[in-house]
Amino acid sequence: NAGVTQTPKFRVLKTGQSMTLLCAQDMNHEYMYWYRQDPGMGLRLIHYSVGEGTTAKGEVPDGYNVSRLKKQNFLLGLESAAPSQTSVYFCASSYRPSGTQHTGELFFGEGSRLTVL
Amino acid sequence: AQSVAQPEDQVNVAEGNPLTVKCTYSVSGNPYLFWYVQYPNRGLQFLLKYITGDNLVKGSYGFEAEFNKSQTSFHLKKPSALVSDSALYFCAVRAYTGFQKLVFGTGTRLLVSP
């Protein structure tokens, strides 16, 4: 049982290049999320999905796009990378919150470190 | 809107001493509160949560947290710190009703010295 798997773990891009981060979960979770972690700023939500075929914007969505074509996968795309997007990206998933049965705690991947030069 | 404050960037404690990592929250209605831990170059791991009921919640690795509604706090505690507890700790909050995103604090680095 792998949990949440992110690929790639490391990537270096030049300004203007594009790339896609892949997140896969094997826990049959309905909800999936992409966060970025920057020093002194904690985790900030980029985009999230409450089910297959649906996506929504989080706190910092600009410059990113996402897709959830399959329930187990959540892709994060950078169309034209900028140095400000240098960060560590975390994917997470959770059950649909439903009172006390599922309280929405997140299960995280190991992170993808992206550097944009 | 929900928010979480972790007032200390870093907490230093000697091994064997009790530790406290502070968290205060703001949310409309009843909160769900969580603590996560992040070890170097790893993802966040769930430690414990408060849903309802007993204000003292016990979690993984000997950690516990105390929910205080009047002070809107959810401080993380451990009676006796270990060097291996050194990590980054995040508090998070979610409103009870409906779909509300989990909002994280900025994190507190815990350093336990031998």
Side-chain angles (χ1 to χ4, degrees), chain B residues 47-100:
Chain B
L47 268 182
L48 53 79
K49 65 184 176 185
Y50 170 82
I51 306 170
T52 185
D54 195 351
N55 289 341
L56 186 64
V57 179
K58 295 189 182 298
S60 306
Y61 312 122
F63 283 94
E64 57 190 25
E66 186 170 11
F67 172 67
N68 187 317
K69 188 172 184 178
S70 63
Q71 297 185 5
T72 61
S73 67
F74 190 55
H75 301 330
L76 182 69
K77 300 181 179 184
K78 188 173 182 181
S80 179
L82 299 172
V83 172
S84 57
D85 292 330
S86 298
L88 189 57
Y89 290 81
F90 290 95
C91 182
V93 67
R94 185 176 78 78
Y96 181 84
T97 55
F99 172 69
Q100 298 288 341

Side-chain angles (χ1 to χ4, degrees), chain A residues 31 33 35 37 40-43 45 48 50 57-58 90 97 99-100 102-110 113, chain B residues 32 34 36 38 41-46 49 51-52 88 90 94 96 98-107:
Chain A
Y31 291 179
Y33 314 79
Y35 286 87
Q37 183 180 24
M41 305 193 74
L43 276 78
L45 183 64
Y48 64 97
V50 299
K57 295 180 180 180
F90 286 99
T100 57
H102 295 304
T103 52
E105 62 259 38
L106 274 59
F107 296 79
F108 283 84
E110 295 287 288
R113 185 175 295 275
Chain B
Y32 282 167
F34 305 83
Y36 285 81
Q38 184 182 31
N41 301 313
R42 303 295 298 276
L44 277 71
Q45 298 177 30
F46 171 75
K49 65 184 176 185
I51 306 170
T52 185
L88 189 57
F90 290 95
R94 185 176 78 78
Y96 181 84
F99 172 69
Q100 298 288 341
K101 300 177 287 293
L102 200 58
V103 174
F104 286 85
T106 52

Side-chain angles (χ1 to χ4, degrees), chain A residues 20-21 27 54 59 75 79:
Chain A
T20 300
L21 296 176
M27 296 174 282
T54 71
E59 301 172 68
L75 278 64
E79 291 186 345

Side-chain angles (χ1 to χ4, degrees), chain A residues 65-117:
Chain A
N65 56 76
V66 288
S67 64
R68 185 134 180 238
L69 299 179
K70 294 182 179 181
K71 184 177 183 178
Q72 64 268 33
N73 296 337
F74 195 30
L75 278 64
L76 178 71
L78 285 71
E79 291 186 345
S80 179
S84 61
Q85 294 177 304
T86 293
S87 187
V88 181
Y89 292 86
F90 286 99
C91 178
S93 67
S94 74
Y95 290 106
R96 177 187 298 114
S98 57
T100 57
Q101 181 183 10
H102 295 304
T103 52
E105 62 259 38
L106 274 59
F107 296 79
F108 283 84
E110 295 287 288
S112 298
R113 185 175 295 275
L114 175 65
T115 302
V116 183
L117 303 175

